[in-house]
Structures are given as C-alpha cells and as structure tokens.
Amino acid sequence: MARDILFSGIQPSGQLNIGHYFGAVKNWLRMQEDFDCLFSLVNLHAITVRQNPSELRSRSLDFVAAYMACGIDPEKSIIFAQSDVPEHSELMWLLSCHTYMGELERMTQFKDKTAKNTDNINLGLFSYPVLMAADILLYQTKAVPVGADQKQHLELARDLANRMNNRYGTLFTVPEPYIPSVEAGGRIMSLLEPEKKMSKSDDNAGNYIALLDSPDVIRKKLKKAVTDTDNEIRYDRDTKAGVSNLLTLLSGATGKSISELEVDYVGKGYGHLKVDTVEAIVALLTPIQAEFARLRNDEAELQRILKIGADKARFQAQATLEKVKQAMGLL
Ligand code: TYM
C-alpha cells in the first residue's frame, strides 16, 4: 500500500540551531519510518532577504550534510534543493491567482520580517506563504512537521487546497500540520531574550545554540542565558520564560518529561540546571557534529544526493502540476 507523503523544509539562511532540531527535525526523524518523505532546502525562500551568493551556495551544502548528520537517510527520504524543481515556482503562480491580498497581509511573519528589513520589503517577502503552499501541495502531502511559528502558513496551504479542490475538483491532498507542543519544543525561545523565538537570523549569536557550536561555546551561551530572581526551578512560560526554556531544552535532550525534571530539581539552583543542560546538549550534538564533519568533506557526494533527490521530486511534482494546469484550462 502506498504510504502518505510528508514534506518539510528549512531555509538555508543563517545557522541551523537547536530550535530547528527540537521544533522540526526531531519529528522528521521519527516520521521518516512511516511516511514517504521529502526534505527540501528551501533556498527560494531564503532569497526573500539578501544573501551573499557564494555563502548561500556553501551553506546549502552545509544544510544537506546537517540533515544527514541528524539522521535523515537519503536512501529512505528525498533530500533536494527547492530551486532544482522549477514546478514550485510555477504552481506558486497558479495559487497566487487564488490567494487574496488580505490573507497575506494578516501573516504575522510578514509583519515581523518587514519590521526587520525596512530597506528591503520586497514582493517575495509578501507572497512567501504562497510559495510555501506550493511546496506542500505539489507533492500531495499529507503531513507537514514544523515548529509552532509555521502554523499560520500551514493554515493558508490548507485553505488554498480546499479552495482549489472546491473550484476545480479534487486536485490536492489537504495537508495536516504536525507541531510539537510548546513544552515538547514547538517553540524554543531565545537564550538572552526568552520572550522571543530562537532564530537563526538573530544578529546576536548569544541568542541561539547552533547545531555546530563547540562544547565550550554552548557552555558560555547557556551560562549567560537569562533566568529570573526567584531561584525556583518550575515551568511557567508566562512568569518564568527563561527557566521554562531551559527545562524544555533539557527535556528535549534527555527525553525526561518537564514534570519529572521539576521534581529532580526541587531545592537545586539555576547553576545546577544550566550545567546539566550544557551536558545534555553537548551529548546530543557531539555525534551529529562528528558525522557532519565527515559528510561535509565530500561535496561531490552531497551534490550527487541533491541531484538524485531533485530528479525524484520533479517526477512527482510534474504529475500534480500537469493535473492543475489541465483543470484550470491552460493549454
Ligand atoms: P525556518 O527555516 O524558519 O525553520 C525551519 C523549521 O524549524 C522550525 N523552527 C522552530 N521550531 C521551534 N522553535 C524555534 N525557535 C524554531 N525556529 C524555527 C520552523 O517552524 C520550521 O519548521 N517557511 C519555513 C520553511 C518552509 C517550509 C515549507 C516548511 C518553506 N516551505 C514547506 C514546511 C513545508 C521556514 O521559514 O522555516
């Protein structure tokens, strides 16, 4: 029996961080066994903000190696670059003609990004969620494992699938989001400003732990992580955002639940929590980093994997695009 399709992607901008790992990649690994998966490096999304071309190229290969170092297996799953499958951009246009300006104006990520990039509020930044819907709908995707920040974009993809299906007959599978609860890592917060999401495009690297940070850097960053003054290790995102975030990281890295950790840390101080969090994250990342170094050394192999992935993805994408064009009356 054919398995359901899973699609997800990360923009190759900035450095992969543990927010991506806990929010998205961890679910990718779990779900890889049960779904036919496509994991994309969504580089067309990355260019909505200015990129240095040679850095973007090299970083894209870093991301392929990182996906694999985390455990994505190119024998089981398709790994490919979005720009290698032009059907994404073409379906985007067809969907754009069915997307309302008001829907895009409501997107909170658009509002945040325009506030940050006042000198480059481009059309791509605005229409970005339509490209994301195209990424998903092109493959008849059933499952989309992402972090909580992508929920609104996923809702648009679902609305567009339903809208197109109602108008033209069934063209698309309606995708379902898979978002971990916030306690389980769906929204990892910044270390220095725990009211803000941990983000790879943050100017201050002290706000995030990159997947490739050395143990020493991780120790320094977590030592500076903002907590509070009541010295009680308890999960409460409203009044204890920093401590709650540390508990989430420790829980994600050890597999212990937050309530178990709260019991373990009764009477202990924040220093203790931080030292244990460093140890758990270093233990999680050390084998990933070793595998990354090995894989990143062989660029020809990474290129080969991307080529195989793009060929397979394209084959599936063409079938959907053809169906949509026919249904819309395009010759
Ligand atoms: P991106 O590149 O910003 O992030 C990649 C994935 O990591 C999740 N994530 C987080 N999860 C928890 N805590 C955080 N602090 C955190 N930061 C990021 C994101 O939710 C995401 O799952 N638009 C998407 C990329 C994309 C995509 C797609 C995803 C394009 N097309 C189609 C799924 C399907 C993005 O910008 O993710």
Side-chain angles (χ1 to χ4, degrees), residues 92-129:
M92 180 201 177
W93 177 255
L94 305 181
L95 296 178
S96 294
C97 298
H98 297 79
T99 309
Y100 303 111
M101 299 286 284
E103 289 179 299
L104 296 179
E105 277 159 358
R106 278 199 293 278
M107 294 290 162
T108 52
Q109 207 164 75
F110 172 68
K111 291 184 205 161
D112 292 350
K113 286 206 173 171
T114 48
K116 264 201 199 162
N117 299 283
T118 43
D119 56 339
N120 181 20
I121 304 178
N122 61 66
L123 182 56
L125 213 49
F126 185 64
S127 56
Y128 170 118

Side-chain angles (χ1 to χ4, degrees), residues 39 41 60-61 64 79-81 84 301-311:
F39 297 112
L41 270 98
S60 298
L61 294 180
V64 184
I79 301 175
F80 75 103
D84 280 340
E301 176 61 8
L302 298 174
Q303 299 276 15
R304 192 185 70 87
I305 287 166
L306 283 178
K307 168 86 176 68
I308 293 173
D311 288 347

Side-chain angles (χ1 to χ4, degrees), residues 6 16 18 22 27 47 60 86 95 104 122 188 195 201 211 215 220:
L6 177 155
L16 265 181
I18 49 166
F22 290 126
N27 261 343
I47 59 169
S60 298
L95 296 178
L104 296 179
N122 61 66
I188 300 291
E195 298 76 29
S201 52
L211 237 53
K220 285 191 182 128

Side-chain angles (χ1 to χ4, degrees), residues 6 9 14 37 39 45 60 63 74 81 84-85 113 138 142 150 172 208 214-215 226 253 260 275 299 306 313 317:
L6 177 155
C37 298
F39 297 112
H45 280 94
S60 298
F63 273 52
D84 280 340
V85 181
K113 286 206 173 171
L138 203 48
K142 182 82 184 171
Q150 298 301 315
F172 299 117
Y208 58 80
S214 68
V226 166
E260 274 178 275
V275 167
E299 280 200 7
L306 283 178

Side-chain angles (χ1 to χ4, degrees), residues 7-13 17-24 28 42 45 82 109 113 128 131-133 135-136 144-150 153-154 185-189 197-200:
F7 183 98
S8 199
I10 302 184
Q11 296 186 56
S13 55
N17 68 47
I18 49 166
H20 307 116
Y21 186 85
F22 290 126
W28 297 6
V42 287
H45 280 94
Q82 187 186 29
Q109 207 164 75
K113 286 206 173 171
Y128 170 118
L131 179 59
M132 180 161 160
D135 299 339
I136 296 167
V144 188
V146 284
D149 61 337
Q150 298 301 315
H153 293 160
L154 248 297
R187 190 171 172 82
I188 300 291
M189 309 310 277
K197 181 187 82 163
M198 183 179 282
S199 163
K200 58 172 134 45

Side-chain angles (χ1 to χ4, degrees), residues 228-249:
D228 51 52
T229 50
D230 72 7
N231 219 25
E232 192 188 345
I233 298 178
R234 181 167 55 80
Y235 187 92
D236 180 342
R237 296 193 73 87
D238 296 329
T239 60
K240 297 176 69 67
V243 171
S244 301
N245 199 37
L246 291 175
L247 282 169
T248 307
L249 294 176

Side-chain angles (χ1 to χ4, degrees), residues 56 106 130 147 169 179 187-188 244 266 268 286 291-292 310 321:
L56 178 61
R106 278 199 293 278
V130 189
I179 300 177
R187 190 171 172 82
I188 300 291
S244 301
V266 170
K268 292 181 183 162
T286 301
E291 190 56 4
F292 173 86
L321 188 64

